[in-house]
Amino acid sequence: MIGFLKKKNTYSVIPVSWLINSKEECLNCSGPNARRVTRMLIMKDDNPSSKWTTHPVKLIEVFSKL
């Protein structure tokens, strides 16, 4: 999916496994505490760690795997 990370004011590819259900209206995603999330981290699509931080995200587009 493509999401807009509000706090960072940037767009990013976000693995669906990184999405977090929220009781609020906004959608959240979990992300590694890396200074910069690399293409390899996104492609690995690892399950979120409890050490990752949560970021509000606005859903822009969803794509499915072929």
Side-chain angles (χ1 to χ4, degrees):
M1 72 172 245
I2 303 289
F4 179 71
L5 299 167
K6 298 173 184 178
K7 287 185 179 178
K8 294 185 176 188
N9 195 32
T10 189
Y11 293 89
S12 179
V13 174
I14 302 169
V16 173
S17 63
W18 293 8
L19 292 178
I20 299 172
N21 290 334
S22 176
K23 294 179 182 177
E24 303 168 9
E25 285 187 20
C26 75
L27 186 60
N28 290 305
C29 74
S30 189
N33 297 328
R35 188 174 207 194
R36 184 171 167 223
V37 177
T38 65
R39 184 180 334 174
M40 288 307 296
L41 281 172
I42 292 170
M43 289 174 62
K44 280 178 58 179
D45 192 18
D46 286 340
N47 288 327
S49 164
S50 61
K51 295 178 182 179
W52 288 9
T53 55
T54 301
H55 309 277
V57 63
K58 179 180 178 185
L59 180 64
I60 303 299
E61 188 72 47
V62 177
F63 303 94
S64 63
K65 292 182 181 180
L66 295 176

